[in-house]
Amino acid sequence: MTIDSIINGIVLDHISAGKSMEIYDILELSKLDCSVAIIKNAVSKKGGRKDIIKIDSIIDVNLDVLGYIDPGITVNIVKDGKIVKKSHLELPDRVAGVIKCNNPRCITSTEQELPHVFQLADREKGVYRCVYCEAKAGHGAS
Amino acid sequence: MKDLISITDLTVEELQELIDKALDIIECPDKYAEKCKRKKLATLFFEPSTRTRLSFEAAMLELGGSVLGFSEANSSSAAKGESVADTARTVACYADIIAMRHPKEGAPLVAASAADIPVINAGDGGHNHPTQTLTDLLTIYREKGGFSNLKIGFCGDLKFGRTVHSLINAMCRYEGNEFVLISPEELRVPGYIRKDLLDRGGFKYVETDNWDLLPELDILYMTRVQRERFFNEADYLRLKDVFILTAEKLRSAKEDLCIMHPLPRVNEIERAVDDDPRACYFKQVLNGKYIRMALILKLLGIE
Ligand SMILES: [Zn+2]
């Protein structure tokens, strides 16, 4: 497979080295029919190592989830062989269905159908708290 | 503001509006006697708390409204496995406003998102209890005329006492307050209170296990030290009497000290203190009704 020649698709660049498989799983890329390339430990121009994921189709990517897991990623949308959109991620204000609240006193522990929603409480430190009980989440990017 | 889930939902200005409204209610109760005519308050208490429920019900009745609800989960739909959201949505068809108490943290927030009528958190586990804090604040305002430049002592279980955490949080929004935190070593305030509120806000505070600073206090907020908080009986027995307020100790206190307690009390304030004019804990109960009246009016959008 030629991984450089995406015509229409998405390139997730600057993934922290070693995080690509986690992202592959969370974005459920295994369910796609198109080609998906994972490049691990590529040399970054900025120095150091990075992972890259190339998806040979323009799919809907949940940028909030991605930003929560690895805020350093750049998302490039490629159309007709050219990058038409480049987005830098940041920590999302709110994530639903990514972090699970483990507080046994939280309402989410007894009501299974409630979505687990976390809100960014401290951007500098990347602290997220459960909207229901305010329990702190361990941050995935650390 | 549709609901009151946490005390921090209120801005300093909104809080002042509530205080002013409560003061007006105290001044001219007749003016408010029919303000909530034909309005219904639903008290949904998934765990019993007679004290809080009665305060809400008395508040609504005094505004000329009526009340319905349940006082424990056994007699409610929750016993049949209905979700909090469904219960709230159902009740919203009958009532105009909900006061909910629930053992699980965050349950009132779930109710508030499901129901299109106002929801007041009447206590969710050990998490929030904003109307208790409003009660404490109205008491401080009435006794001290404001919220700034006060030296406030907290005594007892400062680790698990949510009323303490919430009141410290509220008082850290005003200038010039100082805190004296009197407790056994094992029951000091949690780290986040120290770091996020006191240190970050630049407030002066002292953590101590004795009463040496009692003579300097403007307010003394007492809480109960519970036996089950101690790892061993010996520690409990050694400490249980240290954190009891007695008439004897009060001799050294200021003449205008305001002694508060969220009640119920067990033995942490000696009965002899009750007759002291500085004892404000029963006035606090009455203030609880007035501030809930003000809150109900505000959430229902009634002037
Ligand atoms: Zn939670």
Side-chain angles (χ1 to χ4, degrees):
Chain A
M1 153 183 192
T2 47
I3 50 176
D4 285 329
S5 59
I6 280 183
I7 307 297
N8 291 297
I10 299 175
V11 178
L12 306 178
D13 202 357
H14 299 291
I15 299 170
S16 305
K19 283 246 176 197
S20 53
M21 284 316 290
E22 188 185 339
I23 287 164
Y24 182 87
D25 289 339
I26 294 247
L27 296 181
E28 300 185 317
L29 299 182
S30 63
K31 291 186 181 164
L32 295 177
D33 294 326
C34 65
S35 343
V36 176
I38 295 175
I39 302 159
K40 297 183 74 167
N41 295 319
V43 177
S44 169
K45 275 181 222 156
K46 295 173 189 165
R49 301 274 170 175
K50 64 176 183 179
D51 288 2
I52 305 167
I53 296 180
K54 297 191 178 190
I55 304 161
D56 202 12
S57 165
I58 297 177
I59 57 161
D60 263 338
V61 172
N62 186 334
L63 297 182
D64 283 350
V65 171
L66 214 50
Y68 171 72
I69 299 169
D70 193 354
I73 295 177
T74 12
V75 180
N76 300 303
I77 309 278
V78 181
K79 272 186 188 159
D80 300 326
K82 290 195 191 94
I83 293 175
V84 292
K85 197 179 167 209
K86 199 180 188 84
S87 349
H88 296 277
L89 298 182
E90 53 178 24
L91 288 176
D93 291 332
R94 206 172 236 261
V95 281
V98 182
I99 317 167
K100 213 175 156 348
C101 183
N102 294 320
N103 176 3
R105 300 177 306 276
C106 181
I107 183 70
T108 54
S109 70
T110 43
E111 300 218 340
Q112 315 297 336
E113 283 167 42
L114 279 177
H116 287 232
V117 182
F118 278 72
Q119 187 125 26
L120 185 59
D122 186 334
R123 187 170 286 280
E124 254 167 61
K125 294 185 188 145
V127 176
Y128 281 83
R129 289 185 184 278
C130 173
V131 295
Y132 305 105
C133 70
E134 293 173 77
K136 229 187 216 175
H139 184 237
S142 59
Chain B
M1 188 180 78
K2 174 184 159 278
D3 313 288
L4 181 66
I5 302 301
S6 154
I7 191 70
T8 49
D9 292 350
L10 292 168
T11 63
V12 168
E13 291 74 27
E14 285 171 326
L15 178 78
Q16 192 59 47
E17 267 176 49
L18 284 178
I19 298 279
D20 291 343
K21 179 61 80 180
L23 295 175
D24 196 51
I25 293 170
I26 294 165
E27 193 77 20
C28 341
D30 293 346
K31 207 167 94 187
Y32 294 92
E34 301 209 338
K35 288 278 184 190
C36 285
K37 207 169 171 185
R38 293 205 189 84
K39 299 281 185 193
K40 286 181 286 254
L41 164 76
T43 48
L44 311 185
F45 277 51
F46 292 85
E47 69 176 2
S49 173
T50 310
R51 200 171 280 279
T52 305
R53 189 170 51 85
L54 289 183
S55 180
F56 271 106
E57 296 188 355
M60 191 52 164
L61 294 174
E62 216 156 302
L63 290 167
S66 46
V67 294
L68 66 164
F70 52 84
S71 56
E72 53 174 327
N74 286 341
S75 57
S76 77
S77 49
K80 299 185 193 116
E82 189 179 49
S83 71
V84 168
D86 283 1
T87 305
R89 211 167 288 152
T90 308
V91 170
C93 300
Y94 309 128
D96 300 282
I97 184 166
I98 290 172
M100 175 187 281
R101 187 170 187 108
H102 199 287
K104 289 287 178 177
E105 301 176 6
L109 180 67
V110 174
S113 353
D116 52 8
I117 62 171
V119 174
I120 302 171
N121 181 359
D124 57 339
H127 185 218
N128 283 317
H129 192 5
T131 57
Q132 176 64 52
T133 309
L134 285 176
T135 300
D136 297 340
L137 290 169
L138 178 59
T139 305
I140 291 174
Y141 196 88
R142 290 187 76 191
E143 300 300 320
K144 295 290 158 194
F147 296 125
S148 304
N149 303 313
L150 296 166
K151 199 161 200 170
I152 312 161
F154 289 90
C155 175
D157 179 358
L158 308 188
K159 184 174 184 184
F160 298 98
R162 66 175 168 187
T163 55
V164 170
H165 305 161
S166 178
L167 187 55
I168 293 178
N169 195 337
M171 294 308 284
C172 281
R173 304 207 286 187
Y174 301 92
E175 278 175 17
N177 291 321
E178 285 182 42
F179 301 89
V180 177
L181 308 168
I182 308 165
S183 75
E185 177 92 42
E186 298 88 332
L187 295 177
R188 289 191 174 175
V189 293
Y192 80 90
I193 298 269
R194 254 189 314 259
K195 273 186 295 203
D196 297 350
L197 296 174
L198 300 170
D199 288 339
R200 190 177 287 180
F203 288 96
K204 279 194 199 165
Y205 66 96
V206 182
E207 292 188 285
T208 172
D209 58 3
N210 63 57
W211 293 86
D212 292 354
L213 292 171
L214 177 62
E216 297 177 19
L217 298 180
D218 299 304
I219 294 164
L220 174 59
Y221 197 96
M222 293 294 300
T223 63
R224 183 150 52 107
V225 173
Q226 288 165 287
R227 185 183 293 252
E228 56 267 30
R229 299 297 188 209
F230 287 92
F231 293 114
N232 62 60
E233 187 74 6
D235 279 349
Y236 173 71
L237 292 175
R238 176 171 57 84
L239 293 165
K240 76 177 174 57
D241 293 334
V242 179
F243 302 96
I244 290 178
L245 183 64
T246 60
E248 168 74 31
K249 285 188 185 115
L250 274 173
R251 269 189 220 150
S252 68
K254 281 190 184 172
E255 263 175 46
D256 63 349
L257 172 70
C258 163
I259 305 165
M260 297 169 67
H261 190 298
L263 300 183
R265 127 185 91 170
V266 180
N267 65 341
E268 56 278 11
I269 301 178
E270 198 182 61
R271 306 281 144 180
V273 175
D274 295 0
D275 299 327
D276 192 307
R278 293 172 288 186
C280 294
Y281 30 94
F282 289 110
K283 287 190 206 166
Q284 234 171 310
V285 177
L286 194 55
N287 287 333
K289 183 188 71 179
Y290 292 129
I291 201 73
R292 286 180 176 96
M293 290 169 77
L295 179 64
I296 290 169
L297 289 172
K298 181 178 170 74
L299 292 179
L300 288 177
I302 298 169
E303 275 299 300

